[in-house]
Amino acid sequence: MNARHLLICGFAALFPLSASEAVAAGDPARGVRLFNQCAACHSLDPGRHMTGPSLAGIWGRKAGKAQGFARYSEAIKQAGVTWDGPSLDRWLRNPKEFIPGSRMDFPGVRNDNMRADLIAFLKAVSEGKAPAAAGRGGMMGQAETTRLRDAGAQGQVQAIRYCGDTYNVTTMAGKTFSFWEFNLRFKTDSGPDGPAPGRPVLLHGGMMGDRAFVVFSGPEEMGSFIRRECQ
């Protein structure tokens, strides 16, 4: 190792990269692979909120201020934080430590390089320069490849009958599936990719195929579809 190399290493040890410099060193292309793990809870489309708020335009946005997201904790709303390189670095390292009382159920990313890559990707998203990322996270942890609104007759629900401890769900294709009442969940999705009004969709899940969801466009539809009836 020559003297110049030693001098550079010495300066690097004395003056490590700041958080903003670490962000600049991040690689959005690597960050997109990391974001795929976040896509089950966060979308990158403006106004398309999931478990967490959309991350579109997050750079420079005040924490707790994503338009249309109504599930922020008081801790986030009162944090007074603006999302940028340093604040995202602290948040992604340990959310509970950075903003105590937040609802972010995530242990954090301990690896500095991985955080820098993810932050670089989020910055690129806000600037409209990001590489392609995962889309919306799917039910049961699987990615959705089609919009629920486009579900065909095999997935669209015609009727739901409740008898004893069993739900019998009949699709528009005429096929009936039976589920133990505890294994069938009812959900709503009022977003643009959710089911069309009056056309709920059955989504199968579970290792044994014994669990499923019925997704409605709104809660008011549930009563019109579910009937207490035995045949």
Side-chain angles (χ1 to χ4, degrees), residues 16-61:
L17 288 176
S18 67
S20 59
E21 290 170 326
V23 172
D27 183 345
R30 291 195 301 262
V32 68
R33 294 193 293 271
L34 294 168
F35 180 78
N36 287 343
Q37 302 175 42
C38 310
C41 296
H42 296 279
S43 85
L44 298 174
D45 299 326
R48 192 186 200 186
H49 305 304
M50 299 166 61
T51 301
S54 167
L55 299 182
I58 189 174
W59 205 267
R61 188 169 74 204

Side-chain angles (χ1 to χ4, degrees), residues 97-110:
E97 181 180 278
F98 181 43
I99 304 180
S102 73
R103 294 174 183 159
M104 182 74 161
D105 189 16
F106 172 66
V109 179
R110 301 300 185 217

